[in-house]
Amino acid sequence: MRLDKYLKVSRLIKRRTVANEACDAGRVMVNGKPVKASANVKQGDTITIQFGNKEVKVEVLDVQETVKKEEAKDLFRYI
C-alpha cells in the first residue's frame, strides 16, 4: 500500500493531501530513510513522522485498504 494512503487509513495523518505534503517536505521516514508518498509500506516497517519539534515513531502491524475508526489503532504500534 502507498505510504500516503496508509497514513490516512491508520489515521496517523487525517488527510491524504497532508500526508503527501509531509512526505514531499521530507518529514516522513520509513525504516530510517526519507521516502516519497508513493513508497510501499508493508507489515514490520517502522514509520517516523516529524510534527514540528515532536517525533512520532510507529511500527506497522497490519495493512488494510479500509478500516473503521475504532479499528484504525490496531494497524500500528507506537515505539
Side-chain angles (χ1 to χ4, degrees):
M1 175 185 283
R2 285 176 55 106
L3 175 60
D4 58 346
K5 184 167 184 184
Y6 179 80
L7 293 173
K8 182 201 175 291
V9 169
S10 66
R11 289 173 171 77
L12 285 166
I13 297 179
K14 286 191 190 264
R15 280 179 257 124
R16 193 165 173 179
T17 53
V18 176
N20 261 313
E21 291 166 4
C23 293
D24 292 342
R27 296 193 313 257
V28 180
M29 292 190 278
V30 175
N31 299 327
K33 298 177 193 153
V35 291
K36 294 184 178 184
S38 60
N40 241 358
V41 177
K42 59 189 181 307
Q43 195 172 350
D45 283 347
T46 302
I47 300 174
T48 308
I49 309 167
Q50 294 280 338
F51 290 112
N53 58 0
K54 186 177 138 190
E55 183 177 278
V56 175
K57 201 170 190 179
V58 297
E59 178 187 351
V60 177
L61 298 178
D62 196 9
V63 178
Q64 295 182 17
E65 292 293 318
T66 57
V67 291
K68 293 180 180 169
K69 186 177 182 179
E70 306 83 45
E71 299 167 356
K73 64 182 181 304
D74 298 333
L75 296 179
F76 62 90
R77 173 174 59 97
Y78 290 102
I79 300 175

